[in-house]
Structures are given as structure tokens and as C-alpha cells.
Amino acid sequence: MFDAPAPVVGWGLYARKSVQVNSFDRKKVAIWLFEAVKIATERSSQQLVSGIFMIDWGVHVGGERFNILEIVSAAAALEGQIRSLGVAKIKLHDDQRSFADAVGGSLKGFVGEHFRSSINTLVPTRFLGFSGHDANGKTLVTAAMRCDDLGGWSLDRYVSEYWERAYRGEDGEPVALETGSLDFARDIRGNVAYIGEGYVDESCRDNNLAAYVVRLCIVLSQLKWSPDYIYGWMANKHAYRGLFLRWGYTTCYPNGMKWVNAPSNPDYGNLCFLGCDESGVAQLLRAPLAVMGETNQMSMSTGT
């Protein structure tokens, strides 16, 4: 686990060093990024920062070229907005145990199946947890990201096999999906990032904090992994209100999973699939704070 403002993420994720400076000092960010590239280059056994740092300091997202500082600035804007909503300290976790400790400091108190260490072994290169705390250390908000290489599979098969192994129905038996339930994900392949483990304290549920955190997670996923696709889940009642758009997702499939044997947790029984491809990420980078409409009265409902 390391503490750093969002623009330091490029350093913290790749150079493994914590830095405390003005969040919006672009000159210093550029210096850190240059040093991070130098360190990564010297470590010839490692891939150069997951392909993010290119020789022209740019990265193509959804067919559009973004300077690396533009991506960092989007993260900085979201970090600033999150802090303005009462989050005094932000922590990024590359270890499941430290993230579980942060979740344990919240009223939620437990980590969901997708990030629980008893079910998953997520190495630091494939995991990133986020937690926000008040001045007294109380956990106010959490989220987590993981990146999975589908290895030639499609996302519908991967999701089906994962849920049917990790979740149980009321009868204690593994859950079972209807055949064809996830056909909409059949063409999604490659490296996929999943964002989940959402929690927002009751004191912070009327100010769109959840939306800004998920948007930041999308940007962090892009910085860390450059995934082919980013996805998540949302309760139908929230998706039908358009909250998935505030979170930064561009695709929503209602009733994303149809069950033969539904999960014992009723919150998981009726979920919408949320998706964001590279074009969606590019749209978010152009307007990271574009969270409009009524305030968010929910708690990022799924704990998976």
C-alpha cells in the first residue's frame, strides 16, 4: 500500500515510490514520469510501464492520441473532486491484505468475492485497491480493480465460469446461469479490467462521490493496464436511473445475468452489466468531471 495523490499514480504504480507534492504541479509530474521511464528502461527484464510510456510521450485510446500528462491531469481533477467531498486521505493498495484492512475499517466490513483472498490470488501487477478516509482514519469509500487476460476466451465464458465457481445459491450449491445469458459479452476478448468492491459511507451518499471514484478507477485502470475493455455490475434499479453514465460507463445491458440457480445474496440476483471500451475511456478523459443530474443516493450497490 502506498499513499499518493492521483498524479503520482504513474510513479507509484510503476516506480514503487511514494511522493508527496502539490497534486496539480504538472512540471513535477513530468519529472517523475521521466524518472519512472528511466528506471523502467534500466530494468530490461520488465516491460516498459505496460506500454503506457511511449517514445512520443503519448498513448492512443479509442483511436485518439492523448499526451500522458492529459491522462494524469484527468486523474488529478478527479482526485481533487473526491477530496473536496470530504475525503481527507486517499490510499492505493497493490496488496489484497492491506485493501481488506481498509475495507474492515468501514461499516461494510468485508471484501466481496471478486477480490477476496480466500478465492482469488491477485498479484500486484493485476490488482489495485482504492480507499478514501476521513481525517480520523475512518474508511468512507472503497473500490477495487483487477485485470484478467482472457487468453483466447470470450468474456461471457469467463464470467460464467467465475460466478459458477465462486458463488452459491440458497441451496448451498453453485449458482447456474441460463445458456446464452451473457451472449452480449461474446465478442469481448483480450485483457479486461473489472471494477467492483464499491462502498460509500452513508454520510457521503448524496454528493456523487461514488461516480467520481469509479471514474478515477477507470482512469487508473487505463494507466496501469491499457485494457481492451473495462466492465462492472450495477443493480437494475440504479442503472435504469442512468447512474451508469455518471460512473463513466457507456454501455449497459439490463438483466445482465439470467439464473437457473440464483445467488443466495439477493443483491447479486438482478444486475446490469456495465461496459466501457477504449472509445468510452477517451470520452471520459476529455471530460472527467462530467457527472450531471440528481445526486447519487446509493452505495455502489454491488460488493463483488
Side-chain angles (χ1 to χ4, degrees), residues 147 191-193 218 221-230 278:
C147 186
N191 283 307
V192 296
I218 290 174
S221 295
Q222 180 64 38
L223 273 169
K224 188 170 175 67
W225 297 304
S226 295
D228 297 295
Y229 201 82
I230 299 171
E278 289 187 345

Side-chain angles (χ1 to χ4, degrees), residues 110-186:
F110 66 93
V111 175
E113 286 83 354
H114 276 77
F115 298 95
R116 190 175 299 165
S117 59
S118 61
I119 301 176
N120 311 272
T121 300
L122 300 174
V123 297
T125 55
R126 290 293 178 177
F127 169 76
L128 184 63
F130 172 98
S131 61
H133 309 261
D134 66 13
N136 297 318
K138 178 183 177 181
T139 302
L140 299 177
V141 57
T142 66
M145 298 142 273
R146 60 182 289 171
C147 186
D148 296 291
D149 181 355
L150 300 186
W153 283 10
S154 59
L155 185 58
D156 66 326
R157 178 175 176 181
Y158 177 82
V159 169
S160 296
E161 297 219 4
Y162 184 86
W163 279 74
E164 291 179 353
R165 184 183 75 253
Y167 293 81
R168 293 293 182 269
E170 289 285 357
D171 56 5
E173 295 298 316
V175 300
L177 284 157
E178 290 184 11
T179 301
S181 174
L182 295 163
D183 278 353
F184 56 81
R186 182 171 293 175

Side-chain angles (χ1 to χ4, degrees), residues 3 16 24 94 132 136 155 157 162 167 198 204 209 274 276 288 302:
D3 303 335
R16 309 293 302 127
F24 297 92
D94 63 2
N136 297 318
L155 185 58
R157 178 175 176 181
Y162 184 86
Y167 293 81
C204 303
L209 177 59
L274 311 181
C276 186
T302 64

Side-chain angles (χ1 to χ4, degrees), residues 196-219:
E197 201 49 48
Y199 166 80
V200 177
D201 188 79
E202 289 185 2
S203 63
C204 303
R205 292 181 189 173
D206 60 351
N207 55 15
N208 279 314
L209 177 59
Y212 293 117
V213 169
V214 175
R215 282 171 171 258
L216 179 58
C217 287
I218 290 174
V219 176

